[in-house]
């Protein structure tokens, strides 16, 4: 097993020839992950609810590699079925499934509506479970003991700890992401024997449509609470996903990896900046 | 792939003549780093350094017993004398001289484990981090163990030292983040190394062990090395204070 060919740079982190589905792939983190995968030789399908968003993203992605887009609402069973059929036709099999589509609802507790809670949990948790379950046959087609298929769930730092300052309370979001982290572990145990790994990435603050309004008001507070004193850069999520999807990450299973500049291990707003 | 490149960087890896440490050194060299090979035995260090150079890498061999602070100082000094900086510090060397109940461990064995496993990580960081900060930042990777995540009836003191690694990573991540230094742990499960030979060499013991792991196999050293390269490279530049468990899912299944 230990020989120079196996240890080549291109080999350990290589994604060349793999296939991937990225949900929520038309903007923010999902769009950046799709770019990273394409640049590194992965054939990609992105999914997003709105056709025009898909078309816009496709314009940006098409020069980077072999990519197609499918408009689907992953909370709808018929859309999920159509999406997976599309992936089967376009890609043949699925070596990487990135469950990135998510939604959020922010309101104070007394004003937080049931429908807001349901909407967030059904996108961030229920849809991930259903899509993953239904994608198993396509993933199995790509899975081998040597090179397992990979499921990567995009969780959140908010699913690991509750911010000391609840700037914008997001009860459903935090709960759904904590549940997604544990779903990741449960699926990892179940799917390991099928040569499919399941891991989650828990991003801290990265620029996306979801965070713009928070940054407008709270960027300096957010930086103060982060040991690295900044928000994340897009390539820092491409990095962890590349690791998890490549041979380098092929024994990493059932983990939740925070990529948050250390915010979640810090005790809160720091006094050492003075 | 530039995201994982270590071109131009200097990496010091303790315990790097065998197993996980050697795989980390080989991979870091393959990804462009100049590497310092270290373990107690100079001949073993020379041999691994020569292998790496034969494969086109750059390596420096410095024997060091992590039990002795003055030898840790000499290791750091030799590295700085040769290459002038340390961009990645990989604290991998550790020992476990006792196997059995906590009730029975002799004081000397307990002290030795704490001094060697925790003390050397702490001391190396004290010696290396100020210079790393002055040079604009860098990465520390501590090789911990899944032993530090759960209770054990046979490896108690060792497991305490491995849990301490994870707290060192959190503390130093908070203390040094402003200097662009990141500190993380890797917690390997059962990996095909000499250290764990008894658990994988016998097919019956092997099958009994891996039947409890979701992936139904043990890991290879390079599957740990990948995470070390990730953590030391631009790909890992927003990851700090964390412990990355690499055990095929063994811990979450147990």
């Amino acid at each position: 097993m230990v020989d120079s060919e196996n240890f080549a740079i291109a080999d350990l982190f290589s994604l060349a020839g793999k296939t991937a589905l990225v949900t929520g792939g038309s903007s923010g983190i999902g769009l950046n992950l799709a770019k990273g995968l394409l640049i590194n030789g992965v054939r990609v399908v992105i999914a997003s609810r709105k056709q025009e968003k898909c078309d816009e993203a496709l314009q940006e992605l098409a020069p980077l590699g072999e990519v197609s887009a499918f408009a689907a609402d992953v909370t709808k069973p018929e859309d999920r079925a159509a999406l997976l059929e599309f992936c089967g036709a376009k890609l043949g099999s699925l070596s990487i499934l990135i469950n990135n589509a998510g939604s959020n609802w922010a309101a104070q507790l007394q004003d937080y509506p049931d429908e807001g809670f349901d909407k967030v949990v059904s996108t961030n948790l229920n849809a991930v479970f259903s899509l993953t379950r239904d994608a198993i046959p396509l993933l199995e087609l790509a899975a081998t003991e040597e090179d397992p298929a990979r499921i990567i769930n995009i969780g959140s730092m908010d699913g690991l700890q509750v911010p000391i300052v609840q700037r914008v309370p997001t009860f459903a979001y935090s709960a759904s992401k904590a549940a997604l982290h544990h779903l990741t572990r449960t699926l990892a145990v179940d799917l390991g024997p099928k040569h499919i790994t399941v891991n989650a990435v828990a991003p801290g603050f990265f620029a996306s449509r979801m965070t713009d309004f928070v940054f407008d008001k709270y960027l300096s507070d957010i930086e103060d609470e982060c040991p690295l004193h900044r928000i994340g850069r897009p390539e820092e999520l491409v990095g962890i996903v590349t690791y998890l999807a490549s041979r380098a990450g092929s024994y990493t299973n059932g983990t939740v990896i925070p990529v948050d500049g250390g915010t979640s291990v810090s005790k809160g707003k720091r006094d050492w900046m003075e | 792939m530039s995201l994982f490149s270590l071109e131009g960087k200097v990496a010091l890896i303790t315990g790097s003549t065998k197993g996980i440490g050697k795989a980390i050194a080989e991979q870091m060299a393959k990804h462009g780093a100049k590497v310092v090979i270290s373990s107690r035995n100079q001949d073993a260090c020379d041999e691994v350094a020569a292998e790496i150079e034969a494969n086109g890498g750059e390596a420096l061999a410095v024997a060091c017993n992590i039990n002795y602070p003055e030898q840790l100082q000499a290791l750091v000094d030799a590295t700085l004398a040769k290459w002038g900086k340390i961009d990645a510090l990989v604290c991998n060397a550790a020992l476990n001289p006792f196997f059995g109940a906590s009730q029975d461990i002799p004081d000397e064995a307990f002290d030795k484990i704490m001094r060697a496993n925790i003390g050397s990580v702490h001391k190396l960081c004290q010696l290396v981090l100020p210079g790393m900060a002055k040079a604009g930042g860098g990465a520390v990777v501590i090789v911990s163990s899944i032993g530090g995540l759960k209770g054990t009836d046979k490896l108690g003191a060792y497991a305490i030292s491995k849990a301490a690694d994870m707290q060192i990573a959190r503390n130093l991540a908070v203390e040094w983040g402003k200097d662009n230094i990141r500190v993380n742990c890797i917690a390997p499960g059962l990996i095909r190394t000499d250290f764990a030979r008894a658990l994988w060499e016998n097919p019956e013991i092997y099958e009994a062990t891996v039947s409890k792991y979701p992936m139904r196999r043990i890991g290879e050293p390079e599957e740990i090395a990948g995470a070390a390269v990730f953590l030391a490279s631009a790909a890992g530049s927003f990851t700090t204070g964390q412990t990355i468990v690499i055990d095929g899912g063994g811990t979450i299944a147990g």
Side-chain angles (χ1 to χ4, degrees), chain A:
Chain A
M1 185 110 197
V2 180
D3 60 52
S4 58
E5 221 170 83
N6 262 332
F7 274 47
I9 294 174
D11 199 19
L12 195 59
F13 293 100
S14 171
L15 302 177
K18 294 196 177 222
T19 54
L21 165 61
V22 182
T23 69
S26 69
S27 64
I29 286 173
L31 180 63
N32 281 320
L33 291 179
K35 283 182 194 169
L37 294 171
L38 285 165
I39 287 167
N40 290 299
V42 179
R43 291 155 57 218
V44 176
V45 168
I46 62 162
S48 180
R49 269 178 309 168
K50 299 196 180 106
Q51 187 64 52
E52 69 263 30
K53 282 277 183 191
C54 285
D55 295 342
E56 273 173 41
L58 215 45
Q59 291 234 325
E60 211 176 323
L61 295 173
L64 304 177
E66 197 180 320
V67 58
S68 36
F70 191 82
D73 178 344
V74 289
T75 63
K76 294 182 177 152
E78 61 277 16
D79 280 24
R80 286 195 298 267
L83 171 61
L84 290 172
E85 201 181 317
F86 180 82
C87 288
K90 280 283 173 193
L91 305 174
S93 67
L94 209 49
S95 26
I96 306 161
L97 167 61
I98 300 185
N99 287 309
N100 165 71
S103 64
N104 198 356
W105 192 297
Q108 297 300 326
L109 182 57
Q110 293 311 317
D111 306 323
Y112 209 101
D114 288 349
E115 59 270 28
F117 200 96
D118 288 346
K119 172 179 172 271
V120 171
V121 175
S122 79
T123 311
N124 296 5
L125 183 65
N126 301 21
V128 172
F129 175 76
S130 303
L131 183 68
T132 300
R133 180 197 57 208
D134 298 343
I136 302 300
L138 278 178
L139 289 158
E140 276 191 288
L141 285 175
T144 64
E145 181 167 6
E146 186 67 15
D147 184 10
R150 324 292 166 98
I151 297 168
I152 300 168
N153 295 326
I154 304 301
S156 170
M157 178 175 76
D158 281 355
L160 299 170
Q161 63 163 29
V162 181
I164 291 170
V165 184
Q166 283 266 52
R167 300 180 189 95
V168 190
T170 54
F171 301 98
Y173 186 80
S174 309
S176 70
K177 292 297 185 179
L180 179 62
H181 296 163
H182 206 64
L183 178 66
T184 299
R185 300 183 188 105
T186 315
L187 290 171
V189 173
D190 196 86
L191 295 174
K194 294 184 195 292
H195 309 311
I196 300 171
T197 68
V198 191
N199 292 286
V201 175
F205 282 103
F206 282 79
S208 78
R209 204 163 36 85
M210 229 184 249
T211 52
D212 281 349
F213 78 103
V214 187
F215 291 166
D216 285 347
K217 238 173 139 176
Y218 299 112
L219 183 60
S220 72
D221 285 354
I222 288 166
E223 289 172 343
D224 276 354
E225 286 174 8
C226 175
L228 292 180
H229 205 245
R230 62 176 174 87
I231 62 166
R233 301 188 281 254
E235 68 269 24
E236 292 168 327
L237 289 177
V238 173
I240 188 68
V241 164
T242 303
Y243 163 73
L244 287 172
S246 65
R247 212 163 58 80
S250 53
Y251 199 54
T252 305
N253 189 28
T255 63
V256 178
I257 302 184
V259 180
D260 65 355
T263 303
S264 66
V265 298
S266 179
K267 66 181 168 53
K269 191 154 180 161
R270 296 134 320 117
D271 35 35
W272 52 255
M273 284 306 292
E274 284 89 61

Side-chain angles (χ1 to χ4, degrees), chain B residues 110-190:
Chain B
F110 188 88
D111 290 347
K112 189 173 182 185
I113 290 171
M114 298 309 153
R115 192 174 60 247
N117 295 6
I118 306 175
S120 73
V121 173
H122 171 72
K123 181 48 68 181
L124 271 173
C125 288
Q126 274 191 336
L127 294 173
V128 170
L129 267 46
M132 197 182 262
K134 220 172 268 175
V140 178
V141 179
I142 306 168
V143 179
S144 173
S145 164
I146 57 166
L149 293 168
K150 286 196 165 179
T152 161
D153 57 358
K154 303 252 171 8
L155 292 164
Y158 176 78
I160 291 171
S161 74
K162 293 290 135 180
D165 286 341
M166 302 177 198
Q167 185 62 24
I168 290 176
R170 287 186 284 263
N171 292 345
L172 295 183
V174 171
E175 289 184 47
W176 290 92
K178 66 183 186 304
D179 299 295
N180 195 32
I181 293 174
R182 298 171 302 96
V183 187
N184 294 283
C185 282
I186 299 171
L190 187 53

Side-chain angles (χ1 to χ4, degrees), chain B residues 10 12 36 60 62 74-86:
Chain B
V10 174
L12 191 169
V36 181
L60 172 69
V62 184
L75 172 63
V76 171
D77 289 348
T79 306
L80 295 177
K82 171 89 170 169
W83 286 317
K85 61 169 186 169
I86 297 170

